[in-house]
Amino acid sequence: MALIRAIIKHPILSGLLAVTIGGIVVLTLIVAFLDQIKWVLSDQFWFSNILSLAIFGGIMTAVAYCILLERKISAWIQDRYGPNRVGPLGLLQPLADGVKLLLKEDITPGHVDKALFVLAPFMMFVVALIGFAVVPWGGTFRWPWMDADATPLVAQVASIDIAVIYLLAVGSMGVYGVVLGGWASNNKYAFYGAMRAAAQMISYEIPLGLVVLTAVITVGYLLPVDHAMDCLRLEGAVAAQAPHAASWTMWVVFYHPVAALLMFIAALAEANRAPFDLAEAEQELIGGFHTEYSAMKWAMFFLGEYAHMITSSAFMVCLFWGGYHLPYCTWLSTDESALAMLCRIGVIGAKIAIFIGAYMVVRWSLPRFRFDQLMRLAWKSLVPMGLVILAAQVLIVYYGWPQWISIVVNLGVLVLAAIASLTNAMPISGRQQSLLIKEKAAREKEYELQHAGV
Amino acid sequence: MTDTLVYLAYAVTALGAAGIYVGMPREAKADRRGLFVIFVAAAAGMFCLVMHRILGDVANHVAFVILSLFALGGAGRMITHPKPVYSAVYFIIVILSTSAMLILAGAEFLGLVLVAVYAGAILVTYAFVIMLSQQSTMHSERFRNALDYDRATREPAWTVIAGFVLSATIAGMIVQRGWPSYDAVRAAAMSEHNTLRLGELLMTDMAVSVELAAILLLVAMVGAIAIARKRIPHDDTFEKRRPLGESGRTAAPY
């Protein structure tokens, strides 16, 4: 009795005891219901549901560690240490941050529109999360206990016919969180931030749509004719880029390098990330649209932003960068074992992580655009370039030309854009230009006055 | 059978119209919320009854009925809410439930394009304009700070009557006509790739309409840019023409 009481009172031993008992219970349950568990995992409907829960947990963890990664990368770029106090190498920092944000006082200021103020962060968060439903994480596979001729499972929450359009529609809903939050805050800085964000997101949806359309048409051309309708499914897009006997890779990015670049830029702007983070420009707008938010509601905006980054990276990876395929790895692409599925999830996760790292390096390297520069970039550079590439791709498909022509077109567009930007350099706004011209005229006048007597 | 259905449809519309008439914002302080709830609940119940008569087994169409109730309720609240921004939010609910119904019916392309175009682009612009014109206020000051045209409907009776005539006519026509069963429509839609068929149709039979719409949009865009573009003259006349005190003292540029 005394021994049991001593164990229960001991901080470490009691913890170990609890973990042991919990583990035994869980293991017993698993063993007892093994057949049922196997059946649930082998059924596509239940597997999709379980997968969506797993993805939710995974994405939440990934987002938390994205924030740590962001702080580490910014520290690396700025020659600092970054967070290194909580846990080894600061690895427990996200947990500490999460606990802090949960326990902070959740203030709803008295002057806000309460219903929309509460609704806005949730809209941002939900919209950022439901995009994951159509991302093909692992392709088709069978569990080891399934028959060899059973219908393989698809490691994807929902395999819908028009995943690309779904992602575009969901992404276009993302602006509501920002706009409603900024307006409901009843704060002029928040509202300025919301206005900037809305204008920016609507503008950059156009080049994004053009580039996505280019990729979709290319994928439809690369796919076999009887599967050409699959070009609107993300797994169809991924399947079109599988390593092939004829060529070592068929990633769309090799056919459309400039389009992939445009998509990266547009995705940066859609996610409101630097250099496009005018919506939360601290020097001008305090915190932008989330100035009035605190604690968990504020955290929701950031979780939404990082989840949006992961969604757009996954979108880019699936359309341009081969999804879960790697060059020469035909085993990875064709095998239908559970191990191969896990490897594919690892590959697509690694590619997404590379893109997120690129987002962060860009954020901490480049200064912020001014609003007129932002709009000029969208309407005078990205849209014309995207239109030319799209027209070229349509002609290629219509006349059945070889696909490599698009590489020439892409590079040509890049060269033309470079020439145009070098010859028409106008790095300042019209207002500043007029001021400069006035100043020059004043200087000339002064010069004439000084030299009038000579 | 169909006659009863038509009258039932008229009754649903009339109940909904009465509910909307009661729910319209007005100056009088009388609390009509109870009456509003009664009318709306009656309309919703009767709507379920009509759907039961049309669809047969309601158990198969629970999602459809719930979504249509959401859409109708959102539409009613959109009309009756005194704050335009909330109307925009309720309109989003209408669009989302309509698009979900389209997806249920197997028209997934139409459903998602509805979301992308209406919720994603048009309504954002609406919300934008409404928000620019009005500041958000506290709930307690809702009626004190609201503009007079938001505070009270000008002609509640006539608007409701006009709306009733329109929607009752449409509802009666819909109910009267013999439609193929919902399941048959869905099965037909599922049997082939309807996005592909839609694309083929748009690019062959309706190519001229598509081109016309595209040209219209292009002209509208060019016109908008032409209107919005402001030229800043490079000489001093602009500075001199500006009335004093409009934007404070003019500071030297550098």
Side-chain angles (χ1 to χ4, degrees):
Chain A
M1 229 33 217
L3 184 68
I4 293 174
R5 202 172 294 143
I7 288 177
I8 289 175
K9 279 191 178 167
H10 194 277
I12 296 174
L13 283 182
S14 64
L16 278 179
L17 190 70
V19 168
T20 320
I21 294 175
I24 289 172
V25 168
V26 169
L27 274 180
T28 320
L29 282 177
I30 289 178
V31 171
F33 293 101
L34 195 58
D35 286 345
Q36 282 84 347
I37 292 172
K38 276 182 179 175
W39 181 83
V40 162
L41 282 180
S42 317
D43 187 66
Q44 180 69 54
F45 176 75
W46 293 111
F47 178 73
S48 287
N49 278 315
I50 292 167
L51 188 71
S52 70
L53 286 180
I55 287 171
F56 179 74
I59 295 296
M60 284 296 99
T61 320
V63 162
Y65 277 89
C66 272
I67 294 171
L68 179 69
L69 183 70
E70 172 113 59
R71 293 175 67 182
K72 283 282 187 190
I73 285 183
S74 70
W76 173 62
I77 288 176
Q78 297 171 350
D79 205 7
R80 305 183 271 117
Y81 283 117
N84 63 351
R85 294 284 145 168
V86 192
L89 299 170
L91 280 178
L92 296 180
Q93 184 72 38
L95 291 180
D97 285 345
V99 171
K100 182 196 79 173
L101 287 168
L102 274 173
L103 296 181
K104 265 177 103 170
E105 186 186 357
D106 197 351
I107 300 171
T108 305
H111 55 81
V112 301
D113 191 312
K114 289 212 178 50
L116 292 184
F117 188 78
V118 175
L119 181 70
F122 288 92
M123 273 189 100
M124 180 116 177
F125 187 64
V126 168
V127 161
L129 274 184
I130 56 179
F132 292 114
V134 294
V135 176
W137 296 102
T140 57
F141 74 104
R142 288 187 191 88
W143 293 109
W145 58 79
M146 286 168 73
D147 296 334
D149 54 345
T151 321
L153 292 171
V154 183
Q156 182 177 1
V157 178
S159 162
I160 62 175
D161 272 348
I162 46 171
V164 173
I165 298 170
Y166 171 83
L167 269 180
L168 286 180
V170 164
S172 67
M173 292 285 291
V175 68
Y176 279 110
V178 176
V179 168
L180 291 180
W183 184 79
S185 295
N186 196 7
N187 173 324
K188 67 179 92 160
Y189 295 110
F191 189 52
Y192 278 137
M195 271 169 47
R196 287 184 180 186
Q200 175 182 329
M201 284 165 120
I202 295 174
S203 304
Y204 276 80
E205 246 163 46
I206 297 164
L208 186 73
L210 287 176
V211 172
V212 167
L213 208 54
T214 312
V216 164
I217 294 173
T218 313
V219 163
Y221 194 48
L222 293 178
L223 280 168
V225 176
D226 51 334
H227 285 289
M229 303 186 287
D230 279 352
C231 61
L232 279 174
R233 311 171 84 107
L234 278 186
E235 64 268 34
V238 171
Q241 305 175 50
H244 198 255
S247 64
W248 65 277
T249 177
M250 290 173 76
W251 292 3
V252 176
V253 64
F254 294 107
Y255 295 123
H256 285 291
V258 179
L261 186 68
L262 295 190
M263 180 150 182
F264 182 68
I265 296 171
L268 271 179
E270 283 276 300
N272 271 325
R273 296 277 301 177
F276 302 100
D277 60 343
L278 289 98
E280 41 192 293
E282 290 92 348
Q283 296 89 339
E284 305 155 23
L285 298 178
I286 315 179
F289 58 89
H290 50 73
T291 300
E292 299 282 357
Y293 283 89
S294 59
M296 220 39 214
K297 290 210 276 290
W298 179 84
M300 297 281 253
F301 274 122
F302 274 82
L303 291 177
E305 179 185 325
Y306 281 85
H308 193 128
M309 275 167 63
I310 301 179
T311 326
S312 56
S313 304
F315 199 17
M316 256 188 291
V317 165
C318 290
L319 278 184
F320 279 102
W321 297 84
Y324 43 71
H325 296 305
L326 283 179
Y328 295 116
C329 295
T330 43
W331 173 80
L332 188 73
S333 306
T334 53
D335 198 60
E336 292 195 327
S337 65
L339 178 68
M341 183 267 286
L342 291 177
C343 291
R344 287 192 284 253
I345 292 180
V347 168
I348 195 170
K351 286 185 185 176
I352 291 172
I354 289 172
F355 270 97
I356 288 172
Y359 276 26
M360 290 171 180
V361 172
V362 166
R363 169 168 178 186
W364 293 99
S365 312
L366 293 181
R368 183 180 301 131
F369 278 111
R370 219 173 42 220
F371 197 76
D372 59 315
Q373 293 169 333
L374 179 93
M375 286 296 153
R376 192 179 303 141
L377 180 68
W379 291 101
K380 291 191 181 173
S381 324
L382 298 189
V383 171
M385 287 166 85
L387 273 176
V388 171
I389 294 174
L390 175 64
Q393 181 59 40
V394 168
L395 286 180
I396 288 170
V397 173
Y398 187 75
Y399 290 109
W401 291 337
Q403 182 59 48
W404 57 262
I405 292 177
S406 67
I407 307 173
V408 180
V409 172
N410 269 270
L411 297 179
V413 164
L414 195 63
V415 169
L416 278 182
I419 291 173
S421 68
L422 288 177
T423 50
N424 286 324
M426 198 201 278
I428 52 173
S429 70
R431 174 77 184 145
Q432 282 177 322
Q433 197 192 19
S434 68
L435 287 177
L436 279 182
I437 289 171
K438 269 167 66 179
E439 194 194 26
K440 195 180 164 202
R443 238 186 291 126
E444 280 170 2
K445 210 171 169 185
E446 201 180 339
Y447 183 83
E448 280 171 17
L449 279 177
Q450 278 177 1
H451 297 267
V454 178
Chain B
M1 166 73 186
T2 44
D3 280 349
T4 356
L5 269 182
V6 171
Y7 289 128
L8 274 177
Y10 288 165
V12 170
T13 325
L15 279 174
I20 284 173
Y21 178 74
V22 172
M24 285 276 195
R26 59 191 72 207
E27 292 279 9
K29 288 283 174 197
D31 193 5
R32 294 157 179 257
R33 248 177 286 174
L35 209 58
F36 177 66
V37 168
I38 290 171
F39 274 124
V40 168
M46 202 160 225
F47 175 76
C48 290
L49 196 70
V50 175
M51 289 324 268
H52 179 73
R53 295 285 288 275
I54 295 175
L55 298 174
D57 190 8
V58 170
N60 284 337
H61 308 290
V62 175
F64 179 79
V65 173
I66 290 176
L67 285 172
S68 44
L69 282 179
F70 260 97
L72 290 173
R77 202 70 189 104
M78 183 191 97
I79 297 168
T80 53
H81 207 286
K83 282 179 155 185
V85 173
Y86 279 79
S87 297
V89 174
Y90 279 108
F91 195 25
I92 301 172
I93 293 177
V94 176
I95 286 167
L96 287 183
S97 22
T98 314
S99 114
M101 281 195 281
L102 284 171
I103 292 169
L104 270 186
E108 73 272 0
F109 181 79
L110 211 54
L112 286 181
V113 165
L114 191 73
V115 172
V117 172
Y118 271 88
I122 294 181
L123 210 57
V124 171
T125 325
Y126 275 4
F128 211 61
V129 172
I130 295 166
M131 286 172 179
L132 276 177
S133 65
Q134 281 188 336
Q135 207 187 2
S136 68
T137 48
M138 281 177 277
H139 268 298
S140 53
E141 293 181 10
R142 187 157 97 189
F143 287 101
R144 207 153 13 105
N145 280 357
L147 299 166
D148 56 348
Y149 46 80
D150 288 335
R151 209 156 44 203
T153 322
R154 280 194 195 138
E155 294 287 354
W158 288 113
T159 45
V160 165
I161 288 171
F164 167 71
V165 170
L166 184 65
S167 40
T169 315
I170 294 172
M173 294 296 283
I174 288 174
V175 169
Q176 207 173 26
R177 252 189 76 180
W179 295 90
S181 88
Y182 182 63
D183 291 328
V185 170
R186 190 162 60 170
M190 294 288 186
S191 65
E192 54 185 336
H193 203 284
N194 57 36
T195 312
L196 184 75
R197 292 280 166 273
L198 191 64
E200 281 177 352
L201 204 64
L202 281 179
M203 285 297 137
T204 51
D205 290 2
M206 314 204 170
V208 176
S209 318
V210 172
E211 287 296 321
L212 277 180
I215 289 170
L216 188 69
L217 286 175
L218 188 67
V219 169
M221 194 175 83
V222 171
I225 292 172
I227 291 171
R229 189 170 174 174
K230 195 159 102 182
R231 292 191 174 278
I232 300 175
H234 290 161
D235 54 2
D236 280 342
T237 52
F238 180 68
E239 297 285 334
K240 279 173 190 156
R241 264 193 282 119
R242 196 165 57 183
L244 259 178
E246 187 189 348
S247 59
R249 194 175 292 181
T250 317
Y254 297 107

